[in-house]
Amino acid sequence: MKRLILTCTFIAITSFIPKKTVEMVVAMESISISHIDVRSSNDSLLKALIYVESSNSDKAYNESEDAVGCLQIRRLMVRDINRILKLQGSKQKFKMRDRWDRDKSIQMFNIYCEHYNIITNEDRARCWNGGPKGFKKRSTDKYWKKVLYFLNNN
């Protein structure tokens, strides 16, 4: 009974993950739902975000916002990620130049989503655009529609 409840809860929470991934995870004896939510369902969302943010360019630079790299990360985001890592007791620390590195940018995105417990693709996209409460802001609706269009057409 315990496994059945966990399985049903897991499937309800992660309904946006492809069926194969859910079946594979459910078959495992012990799982970390927050880890799976953020990392396993990320590939297509990250591709969409990277396309919307930078047209898939690691060299993208928005001078007016000092937003750089494939995910257009600002200095404020790096400082927030480093604050989060410090709270978690991690010795890892990102540098401003790490914004230009695709892998490090994706790491920062994952740390951000995990810390703020952002689960759904829509909430992750809107919060990436509008901050931790971005899913509540009307100003992020248009951004989400761009990301959703990419998700549905690629």
Side-chain angles (χ1 to χ4, degrees), residues 48-49 52 121-122 125-126 129 138-153:
L49 290 174
V52 169
N121 281 348
E122 180 177 358
R126 293 178 69 189
N129 180 247
R138 294 188 74 167
S139 62
T140 62
D141 286 337
K142 185 176 178 182
Y143 181 82
W144 168 240
K145 287 177 183 169
K146 288 181 191 177
V147 172
L148 187 60
Y149 179 83
F150 185 88
L151 284 170
N152 290 333
N153 294 292

Side-chain angles (χ1 to χ4, degrees), residues 17-122:
I17 297 177
K19 187 176 179 184
K20 282 185 178 180
T21 305
V22 173
E23 289 171 355
M24 178 187 75
V25 172
V26 170
M28 297 167 52
E29 283 300 317
S30 75
I31 58 175
S32 169
I33 292 186
S34 63
H35 175 78
I36 292 164
D37 284 344
V38 174
R39 296 230 164 80
S40 295
S41 65
N42 251 3
D43 290 346
S44 59
L45 177 65
L46 276 167
K47 286 177 188 173
L49 290 174
I50 289 170
Y51 179 79
V52 169
E53 291 285 351
S54 67
S55 298
N56 200 32
S57 173
D58 295 331
K59 297 178 182 179
Y61 177 60
N62 179 334
E63 187 176 2
S64 67
E65 297 180 0
D66 191 30
V68 304
C70 66
L71 284 169
Q72 290 293 281
I73 298 175
R74 297 178 184 183
R75 292 177 180 273
L76 180 64
M77 176 62 77
V78 176
R79 288 193 294 270
D80 192 31
I81 297 300
N82 286 334
R83 179 191 63 80
I84 292 166
L85 288 169
K86 188 175 180 180
L87 284 172
Q88 295 173 347
S90 174
K91 293 185 180 187
Q92 181 181 11
K93 188 172 183 178
F94 289 97
K95 296 176 174 66
M96 293 302 160
R97 70 175 173 260
D98 292 337
R99 301 178 294 165
W100 296 100
D101 182 293
R102 183 174 294 241
D103 291 333
K104 289 181 180 180
S105 293
I106 291 170
Q107 285 178 351
M108 286 188 257
F109 174 81
N110 287 328
I111 290 165
Y112 179 82
C113 290
E114 284 180 19
H115 176 75
Y116 290 108
N117 197 29
I118 308 166
I119 297 173
T120 69
N121 281 348
E122 180 177 358

